[in-house]
Amino acid sequence: DPAQSAFLASKYGNTGIAEKKYLDITAGFDVSNFVFENFYINLQYNVNHILDYEKGLLSGSLTEIEETGHKGIWAVSYEFGGLKYKIELAGNYNFTQKDYLLKPSFSLKIGPETKIIMGAYFFGGKRSTELGQFKDKDFVYGKLEHLF
């Protein structure tokens, strides 16, 4: 609709994209050998705030966006068997939109620079949220990694 296009162009420029100033802060810690040998932990807390927020804004993936968002991000892993095996659980949880991503994995070293990794991605939340839009897209994967 040309009338709608003119409205968007006048409000958001000719691309229909709203440029907003925002504040994005992440704080956390990252520790190897936490509590016991070969246990790694990375915990982060993220807050972002859109300074000139307007109701109805959508993210780049066309999902709802709030004025202020709070998110927890983590990765914990443990290596054992002479560092031959590694289990890991990583992911994030959005406290504002109540959506999440869980990423468990297991890796096996089969050589000095080669390993096999098996894992999965699990998504959850309402379909209108950043991660919830993928809630029916859970998957498992296998990966052969060689560094040279």
Side-chain angles (χ1 to χ4, degrees):
D1 179 353
Q4 179 67 13
S5 296
F7 172 73
L8 288 174
S10 65
K11 187 171 183 181
Y12 299 121
N14 57 8
T15 62
I17 296 173
E19 292 184 23
K20 299 293 182 181
K21 294 181 188 220
Y22 65 93
L23 178 64
D24 195 357
I25 299 170
T26 301
F29 68 95
D30 180 33
V31 182
S32 295
N33 299 321
F34 181 71
V35 179
F36 51 90
E37 190 78 18
N38 302 322
F39 183 66
Y40 168 78
I41 186 166
N42 179 312
L43 297 175
Q44 300 176 35
Y45 174 75
N46 172 266
V47 62
N48 70 33
H49 179 75
I50 300 171
L51 300 175
D52 50 350
Y53 179 78
E54 298 176 51
K55 193 153 184 67
L57 290 176
L58 300 176
S59 71
S61 60
L62 302 178
T63 57
E64 294 174 0
I65 193 164
E66 304 289 332
E67 182 175 12
T68 303
H70 301 272
K71 188 182 296 185
I73 306 157
W74 68 87
V76 294
S77 66
Y78 178 62
E79 292 183 272
F80 57 100
L83 304 182
K84 185 173 181 174
Y85 308 102
K86 179 180 179 182
I87 56 174
E88 179 174 25
L89 178 60
N92 67 58
Y93 181 78
N94 185 320
F95 297 102
T96 307
Q97 295 187 336
K98 297 179 179 34
D99 62 353
Y100 64 87
L101 166 63
L102 293 175
K103 298 181 344 182
S105 67
F106 174 78
S107 62
L108 167 66
K109 259 191 175 178
I110 58 174
E113 300 297 330
T114 307
K115 61 183 162 181
I116 296 172
I117 305 167
M118 295 162 283
Y121 279 62
F122 300 106
F123 300 92
K126 292 194 311 188
R127 290 209 183 280
S128 59
T129 63
E130 183 179 357
L131 296 171
Q133 68 179 317
F134 302 112
K135 70 192 226 172
D136 59 349
K137 306 281 190 222
D138 298 343
F139 64 92
V140 296
Y141 67 92
K143 177 176 166 183
L144 175 63
E145 181 177 282
H146 180 74
L147 304 175
F148 53 93

